[in-house]
Amino acid sequence: MSTPRHGRTRKPPAARRAEILTAAVRIALGEGLDRITLRAVADSLDVRPGLVHHYFPAVEDLIVEAFRTAAATERSALFEATGTPLERMSRLLTSLTGPQAQAGHRLWSSARHISRSSAAMAMAVEELEELGRAQMTELIREGMGSGDFGDVDATATCVRIYMAIDGFGAYANSPLPFGHEAYEFFVADVAEWALDLARGTLRARASRGATGTTVERS
Amino acid sequence: MSTPRHGRTRKPPAARRAEILTAAVRIALGEGLDRITLRAVADSLDVRPGLVHHYFPAVEDLIVEAFRTAAATERSALFEATGTPLERMSRLLTSLTGPQAQAGHRLWSSARHISRSSAAMAMAVEELEELGRAQMTELIREGMGSGDFGDVDATATCVRIYMAIDGFGAYANSPLPFGHEAYEFFVADVAEWALDLARGTLRARASRGATGTTVERS
DNA sequence: CAACATATTGGTCACTTGGCCAATAATGGT
DNA sequence: ACCATTATTGGCCAAGTGACCAATATGTTG
């Protein structure tokens, strides 16, 4: 994109670095973390590979940092603190199950795959998991306080919901659409069970709020 | 291994092909499907890369076939048809959750990752998933008939249990040990919920049978 | 035992990857 | 307006990949 010709445009280091990172994130979200390559990033910015190496001497660090920012961005959007705990949980699970979340699941799948050969990536995954658990545990505690959720072990419930999400995400690379409603609502169903909610509480919201925005009033 | 020297030993094509496939499976189970490479396989057999190419002109086919056999072997061992449905389900989930199953989870993780860029692998994954679902659905139906399990939707329950297994397997690449019992018993807990069993029915068996062999008598 | 079919070798080729570096040009400070 | 700093380039290298093939040796067959 932009001018395919070569006149060199010099930018302040911080800006250039951010630009490179953004390009890497874009590739990660669109094609997977393992497609982040010196040349792929350079090409997408119409820049020489050596420049990317100048800012990220080790590609692995760029990949890890791209994952961190991509994952953090996604997650921060999920935990918007508006509405009741039940609304927030519902919104969280709905958007995590929706079709636009597939890219996110693929991202995590990529990251876990890379973790096997990259200690840095393994650490990043671990940290972001822990962060997500902390946020969700907090949400669960709020919901218990407000009476939205049952009286459960917040940590255990959080772990269960996340494992359900991961189980759902395992199919993100599958080209076929889901064949059974048990697939589609697995996360909501498990969450109901783990949160000790009445059957259908989250499922109903999930199918209703599929359009994205929550329309209820408090 | 064997003789590192070069005298060429000529074997019947079928045997050689099987030998190559076995070597590929060994690599897949030990280091991951993506480590299956012409040279890696050749080296492990003390043979030239060209020979592997002679039997598998496209490496991708070797990888897919290695996954098929590895996965099929693992799964067939899981569905041994001895004991009551409850015993069989318990044994299944226990061994699927045990430490020796980590290699299997990594295998599937690899396969799903490769599925994104390989239509053949995606098809293999899909087929083996369907096979596993068929076997488990059958087991669930038997258990419903014998009264071991509650009166549930067999297909939905099967889907839920497999998604729980996949959620559990998502952490197979993580170097850290599990920190919470909700992790360890997630599959058993979900299965109890999905099968409408009394709380703890499978969990108790899981923690007891952790040694591997089932010691009960009928 | 000789001849044949072919399993096996050794080598080549094109391609991609990460990494590195001297030379160059753009920018900001003086 | 000059100059020093350094962002940026173009080019190179080594390693690893899949694919391919002519030549060779091996086991079997007639």
Side-chain angles (χ1 to χ4, degrees):
Chain A
M1 29 199 85
S2 64
T3 54
R5 285 281 138 260
H6 52 278
R8 54 170 76 173
T9 40
R10 188 192 182 109
K11 302 192 178 180
R16 185 63 96 177
R17 194 189 146 92
E19 192 180 10
I20 291 174
L21 187 56
T22 301
V25 167
R26 188 172 50 237
I27 293 175
L29 252 26
E31 319 177 41
L33 280 170
D34 44 4
R35 292 296 191 76
I36 296 181
T37 203
L38 284 184
R39 287 160 183 81
V41 173
D43 286 353
S44 91
L45 291 175
D46 193 39
V47 141
R48 292 326 111 207
L51 184 61
V52 179
H53 171 262
H54 177 71
Y55 289 96
F56 294 89
V59 184
E60 185 182 324
D61 293 340
L62 172 59
I63 297 176
V64 171
E65 202 162 330
F67 168 66
R68 289 194 123 101
T69 63
T73 304
E74 275 231 327
R75 287 279 154 105
S76 75
L78 291 178
F79 281 98
E80 286 174 32
T82 69
T84 71
L86 180 60
E87 283 170 355
R88 287 166 58 198
M89 178 66 78
S90 171
R91 200 190 318 135
L92 175 69
L93 301 184
T94 300
S95 49
L96 228 30
T97 303
Q100 80 290 354
Q102 299 272 318
H105 291 302
R106 280 193 286 260
L107 179 79
W108 279 85
S109 165
S110 272
R112 292 213 171 88
H113 186 79
I114 294 175
S115 287
R116 201 183 312 176
S117 56
S118 162
M121 182 62 85
M123 195 174 305
V125 167
E126 192 67 33
E127 283 177 21
L128 285 168
E129 278 176 355
E130 186 52 40
L131 177 65
R133 279 192 292 263
Q135 294 179 357
M136 184 179 287
T137 303
E138 172 61 22
L139 174 56
I140 293 172
R141 291 227 168 82
E142 286 180 36
M144 287 171 58
S146 71
D148 281 13
F149 307 147
D151 187 26
V152 297
D153 179 337
T155 305
T157 300
C158 167
V159 165
R160 285 174 183 140
I161 293 178
Y162 262 117
M163 289 183 86
I165 292 169
D166 291 325
F168 181 85
Y171 297 84
N173 290 332
S174 187
L176 282 75
F178 280 179
H180 198 282
E181 65 156 19
Y183 267 123
E184 200 177 345
F185 295 109
F186 178 69
V187 177
D189 292 342
V190 167
E192 286 171 10
W193 159 71
L195 287 167
D196 198 23
L197 294 176
R199 197 106 200 195
T201 311
L202 287 168
R203 213 194 236 242
R205 291 168 167 271
S207 47
R208 177 156 33 109
T211 30
T213 326
T214 315
V215 207
E216 20 241 281
R217 71 203 65 240
S218 66
Chain B
M1 27 200 88
S2 65
T3 55
R5 282 286 135 256
H6 53 277
R8 53 169 76 172
T9 40
R10 188 195 182 108
K11 301 191 176 180
R16 186 62 98 177
R17 195 190 146 92
E19 194 181 7
I20 291 174
L21 187 55
T22 301
V25 168
R26 189 172 49 238
I27 293 175
L29 252 26
E31 319 177 43
L33 281 170
D34 44 4
R35 291 295 190 77
I36 296 181
T37 203
L38 284 186
R39 287 160 183 82
V41 173
D43 286 353
S44 91
L45 291 175
D46 194 39
V47 141
R48 290 329 109 207
L51 184 62
V52 180
H53 170 262
H54 178 70
Y55 289 95
F56 295 88
V59 184
E60 185 181 324
D61 294 338
L62 173 58
I63 297 176
V64 171
E65 201 162 330
F67 168 65
R68 289 194 124 100
T69 64
T73 305
E74 275 230 327
R75 287 279 155 103
S76 75
L78 290 178
F79 281 98
E80 286 174 33
T82 69
T84 70
L86 180 60
E87 284 170 355
R88 288 165 58 198
M89 179 65 79
S90 170
R91 200 189 319 133
L92 175 69
L93 300 185
T94 300
S95 50
L96 228 30
T97 303
Q100 81 289 355
Q102 299 272 317
H105 291 302
R106 279 191 288 259
L107 179 78
W108 279 86
S109 165
S110 273
R112 292 213 171 88
H113 185 79
I114 294 175
S115 288
R116 200 182 313 176
S117 56
S118 161
M121 181 62 84
M123 197 174 304
V125 167
E126 193 66 32
E127 283 177 22
L128 285 168
E129 278 177 355
E130 186 49 44
L131 177 66
R133 279 193 291 262
Q135 297 183 71
M136 184 179 286
T137 303
E138 172 61 22
L139 174 56
I140 292 173
R141 291 226 168 81
E142 286 181 37
M144 286 170 59
S146 71
D148 281 15
F149 305 148
D151 186 27
V152 296
D153 178 338
T155 304
T157 300
C158 167
V159 165
R160 285 173 183 141
I161 294 178
Y162 262 116
M163 289 184 86
I165 292 169
D166 291 326
F168 181 85
Y171 297 84
N173 290 331
S174 187
L176 283 74
F178 280 178
H180 199 281
E181 65 156 18
Y183 268 122
E184 199 177 345
F185 295 110
F186 177 69
V187 177
D189 292 341
V190 167
E192 286 171 10
W193 159 70
L195 287 166
D196 199 22
L197 294 175
R199 195 106 200 195
T201 311
L202 288 168
R203 216 195 235 240
R205 291 169 168 271
S207 49
R208 178 156 32 109
T211 29
T213 327
T214 315
V215 208
E216 17 242 281
R217 71 203 65 243
S218 64

